[in-house]
Amino acid sequence: QAAAAGSSRYNFEELTWGNDETHHIAEGYDADVLLRWGDPITADAPEFDVMNQTAEAQLKQFGYNNDYVGFTALDDRGDRGLLCVNHEYTNEEVMFPGIGRQDNQNFAAMTKELVDIEMAAHGGSVVEIAKGENGKWALVRDSQYNRRITPLTTEMAIAGPAAGSDRMKTTEDPTGTRVIGTLNNCAGGMTPWGTYLMAEENFHGYFWTDAVDAEGKPDLSAQAEAAQMKRYGVPGLWYNWGQHYDRFNIDKEPNEPNRFGWVVEVDPRDPSAMPIKHTALGRFRHEGCETTVAPSGQLVVYSGDDNRFDYLYKYVSTGTVSDDNAANSALLDDGTLYVARFDEDGTITWMPLVHGEGPLTADNGFASQADVVIDTRIAADLLGATPMDRPEDVQPRGDGTAYVMLTNNTKRTPEQVNAANPRPESSFGHIIEIKEDAGDHAATTGTWSILVKCGDPSLADVGAKWHPETSANGWFGSPDNCAIDADGRLWISTDQGSGWGKTGKSDGLYALETEGEQRGLSRLFFRCPVGGELCGPYFTDDSETLFLAVQHPGTDGTKNYAGFERNSTFEDPATRWPDFDPAMPPRPSVLVVTKQGGGKIAV
Ligand code: FEO
Ligand code: CA
Ligand code: CA
Ligand code: CA
């Protein structure tokens, strides 16, 4: 895959940077809207009615804030398949006319009726899609596979070392082996056997307490597990579900937070199969969970903990991948979880989180492997893992390489800088390339290097590092999700959040060269409508289709929707993408990118 000097391995005309009400794609490509929030996805689903939303309807409609997108083919040609989409969170100020932004523990308008709609809009969707004679993908609405997975209704099994632990037991589940639903599903992964992994990220935000101090901060003094809760930011008080559901109130159910922060496996081919929370992969704010297979046949899963100064993890199964899918699923329950230490000399050491080894003993509060996985962060603290600049998506490639998105960390002081996180107050983040020893993803040592330091290369005080031919269009900030296409090439999507004002650029998708003379050269392929964050991206195996997910268009530092009333028109929005209908707010949507006339993307 080495590139000749001066010749790009990505064949497309770079897009011009900017920020406006709609999306833009490089010339010669189509980016078509495939699924929008509220689209009916089952045969019996009602049409979307934004002014008269109900939880019952939302349970049969596409959810909010599409994030991870995965695909598994149902036929040999790959023209039919199941699209698996995470719905990470809800923006009530855009979702519900007239509500405005609810925060600072002021949730007066968030009634149980609206909370139920929010819960029904979280989780995931599995839908069948098929390519028509015109080469365009469309939803197969009457497919038996189409379903929603939500924190309101979907029962899940708990498997692995924490299953049945006393710390997992609640009033509703005295066995510690069953839980309703999944929360804040950010990025994810598809396994080699075609199942869908949903990562639970900012679960802390859904937990509530009535006990607050004079400043309105949670008062944990009555909690037996106060130290453990604090390390995870529980309770976050982002949503008021705990005012309507006891299980989200830690005063009433202090163990419920232990039942979130995991990786969930869903079999998209079997709608009757219960999703499984695999606790061997650890409990933290999993951004994603991308898999690969080591030369030995062992399954390897990479996962970042998206928090300032938190860590990068890897899981290696004990057994090997086979053609027995039940046995494959069990690989996620029996293996070793490691946390990364990045040394100054460019080596990476993966340190095992195993009960009884090193400091992970009863003396330090770890009575069993259940405690190690429930308190993964605390165990990793004791092992001396390297605190990172918010690890987001991690993408392994089959050759023993992995790319780690470190999105930003404005809180790192000059004293806290280390070789792998080299900038203080990093607003724009960086990307690390890991090369596991002998090209083996199961290896416990390897080397690392910084591929790019993000931000505007024309501003000296930003300290960016790109290939010098990277244009004003091509540099980016805050790498978040990433994908590798059929030719082993890296693609990066960005999430600048309200920080987009620092660059003036919409979030987008960039092709980033990793090989040869052009290593570090980035070019812009797609950009979002104003306020939108770009998630996905996902290439089909033939690299002829690329799925992109645009989250929360119209938010993040733009005008919000506080001004409009329920049962009125939506006034003065930053954008009404993708409908551009005065009766519709902007809607998070999944796009499908194809080359005009067909063929592989950017080849
Ligand atoms: Fe859900 Fe780390 O972004
Ligand atoms: Ca993300
Ligand atoms: Ca990815
Ligand atoms: Ca992010």
Side-chain angles (χ1 to χ4, degrees):
Q1 290 159 1
S7 70
S8 174
R9 296 192 309 154
Y10 301 87
N11 182 21
F12 68 91
E13 194 87 21
E14 182 169 50
L15 198 63
T16 303
W17 71 275
N19 189 14
D20 61 26
E21 75 287 353
T22 194
H23 66 275
H24 298 266
I25 183 93
E27 207 177 313
Y29 293 85
D30 291 327
D32 300 313
V33 176
L34 180 65
L35 287 160
R36 302 164 296 185
W37 163 50
D39 281 349
I41 63 163
T42 61
D44 61 344
E47 291 302 315
F48 185 51
D49 180 352
V50 70
M51 292 300 182
N52 297 288
Q53 299 174 52
T54 64
E56 191 188 13
Q58 179 65 77
L59 288 169
K60 297 173 178 178
Q61 295 167 337
F62 198 60
Y64 208 79
N65 272 345
N66 31 227
D67 196 308
Y68 178 75
V69 183
F71 177 83
T72 179
L74 287 173
D75 64 13
D76 290 342
R77 290 194 314 163
D79 289 350
R80 275 179 65 225
L82 300 177
L83 199 71
C84 304
V85 182
N86 281 351
H87 301 293
E88 185 184 18
Y89 68 104
T90 48
N91 297 78
E92 66 284 338
E93 77 279 17
V94 191
M95 196 172 164
F96 302 121
I99 290 300
R101 194 164 168 77
Q102 306 280 300
D103 54 12
N104 298 320
Q105 288 124 61
N106 173 23
F107 292 99
M110 292 306 292
T111 59
K112 180 166 184 295
E113 179 198 358
L114 294 185
V115 163
D116 283 353
I117 298 168
E118 278 193 319
M119 292 174 77
H122 275 69
S125 294
V126 175
V127 292
E128 183 177 340
I129 58 172
K131 212 190 259 184
E133 303 216 324
N134 59 359
K136 299 285 188 189
W137 290 92
L139 172 70
V140 181
R141 189 164 156 190
D142 59 359
S143 169
Q144 57 167 325
Y145 299 109
N146 296 355
R147 61 169 160 150
R148 291 293 322 286
I149 294 148
T150 75
L152 187 62
T153 55
T154 310
E155 189 174 18
M156 308 199 163
I158 298 170
S165 159
D166 283 347
R167 297 178 63 193
M168 300 292 273
K169 294 175 181 170
T170 64
T171 309
E172 285 175 10
D173 173 27
T175 70
T177 59
R178 287 283 185 278
V179 58
I180 302 295
T182 181
L183 288 175
N184 207 266
N185 306 94
C186 191
M190 298 300 289
T191 64
W193 55 95
T195 58
Y196 158 38
L197 300 179
M198 308 171 75
E200 296 186 330
E201 195 192 24
N202 295 303
F203 65 95
H204 64 293
Y206 298 80
F207 288 93
W208 187 265
T209 178
D210 293 313
V212 289
D213 64 18
E215 290 173 357
K217 300 229 173 79
D219 176 1
L220 295 181
S221 53
Q223 295 292 341
E225 289 200 9
Q228 291 94 332
M229 288 182 179
K230 272 193 184 137
R231 182 64 181 85
Y232 282 86
V234 171
L237 307 176
W238 292 5
Y239 293 86
N240 71 330
W241 299 3
Q243 292 186 311
H244 302 294
Y245 288 89
D246 284 354
R247 70 190 186 106
F248 292 112
N249 183 335
I250 62 165
D251 310 337
K252 295 171 181 164
E253 285 293 351
N255 282 346
E256 191 73 3
N258 292 339
R259 294 145 61 82
F260 294 88
W262 305 105
V263 168
V264 180
E265 184 189 23
V266 174
D267 184 349
R269 285 181 176 72
D270 183 359
S272 69
M274 191 181 285
I276 304 168
K277 295 200 180 189
H278 289 289
T279 63
L281 277 66
R283 174 171 168 266
F284 49 91
R285 295 184 201 166
H286 285 273
E287 165 74 22
C289 40
E290 296 277 11
T291 66
T292 187
V293 180
S296 60
Q298 289 166 288
L299 180 76
V300 180
V301 187
Y302 287 87
S303 194
D305 183 353
D306 182 7
N307 190 46
R308 295 185 187 104
F309 306 108
D310 259 294
Y311 308 129
L312 175 66
Y313 296 87
K314 173 168 97 172
Y315 172 86
V316 181
S317 67
T318 303
T320 57
V321 178
S322 67
D323 50 17
D324 174 348
N325 284 352
N328 287 335
S329 177
L331 296 175
L332 296 166
D333 300 323
D334 182 9
T336 305
L337 180 65
Y338 299 91
V339 66
R341 191 185 73 221
F342 292 81
D343 286 325
E344 304 288 300
D345 65 357
T347 61
I348 180 171
T349 302
W350 293 100
M351 301 182 291
L353 294 157
V354 176
H355 177 251
E357 287 189 16
L360 306 182
T361 61
D363 286 348
N364 288 320
F366 299 96
S368 65
Q369 188 65 17
D371 286 336
V372 172
V373 293
I374 292 170
D375 296 324
T376 300
R377 282 182 166 184
I378 298 169
D381 292 341
L382 288 176
L383 291 185
T386 303
M388 308 298 287
D389 286 346
R390 295 186 54 199
E392 298 253 31
D393 203 2
V394 182
Q395 197 71 40
R397 191 169 60 200
D399 61 357
T401 306
Y403 293 96
V404 185
M405 306 301 111
L406 295 152
T407 196
N408 54 55
N409 182 354
T410 51
K411 297 275 167 71
R412 189 180 290 274
T413 65
E415 294 72 38
Q416 292 171 312
V417 160
N418 57 48
N421 299 274
R423 286 187 288 183
E425 295 169 37
S426 173
S427 293
F428 305 107
H430 59 291
I431 298 174
I432 286 181
E433 180 185 71
I434 295 169
K435 297 274 186 191
E436 303 284 21
D437 282 348
D440 178 0
H441 280 290
T444 54
T445 53
T447 59
W448 63 270
S449 60
I450 291 179
L451 176 59
V452 292
K453 291 187 234 174
C454 305
D456 186 345
S458 72
L459 302 174
D461 60 350
V462 169
K465 178 196 142 191
W466 300 98
H467 185 282
E469 287 164 23
T470 300
S471 74
N473 303 311
W475 66 264
F476 58 80
S478 298
D480 188 338
N481 297 132
C482 56
I484 288 183
D485 68 17
D487 293 298
R489 304 175 307 176
L490 183 62
W491 299 77
I492 311 287
S493 69
T494 63
D495 167 21
Q496 303 166 101
S498 53
W500 73 264
K502 291 181 188 169
T503 67
K505 294 183 169 192
S506 282
D507 282 321
L509 184 72
Y510 297 81
L512 178 58
E513 185 57 76
T514 58
E515 311 297 317
E517 298 239 342
Q518 294 198 334
R519 180 177 162 89
L521 177 56
S522 172
R523 290 195 300 139
L524 177 60
F525 184 70
F526 172 89
R527 63 178 163 97
C528 285
V530 60
E533 162 186 350
L534 189 61
C535 304
Y538 192 92
F539 288 89
T540 52
D541 286 348
D542 62 10
S543 249
E544 294 192 7
T545 300
L546 163 64
F547 298 104
L548 298 175
V550 174
Q551 259 195 351
H552 56 74
T555 65
D556 275 348
T558 64
K559 297 166 192 165
N560 74 25
Y561 283 72
F564 65 79
E565 303 289 326
R566 198 158 194 186
N567 299 316
S568 74
T569 55
F570 306 103
E571 288 181 20
D572 203 20
T575 181
R576 292 175 198 275
W577 186 89
D579 304 283
F580 297 103
D581 174 349
M584 193 66 79
R587 293 203 269 179
S589 301
V590 171
L591 303 179
V592 56
V593 174
T594 49
K595 195 182 209 168
Q596 290 163 3
K600 271 180 161 183
I601 287 166
V603 168

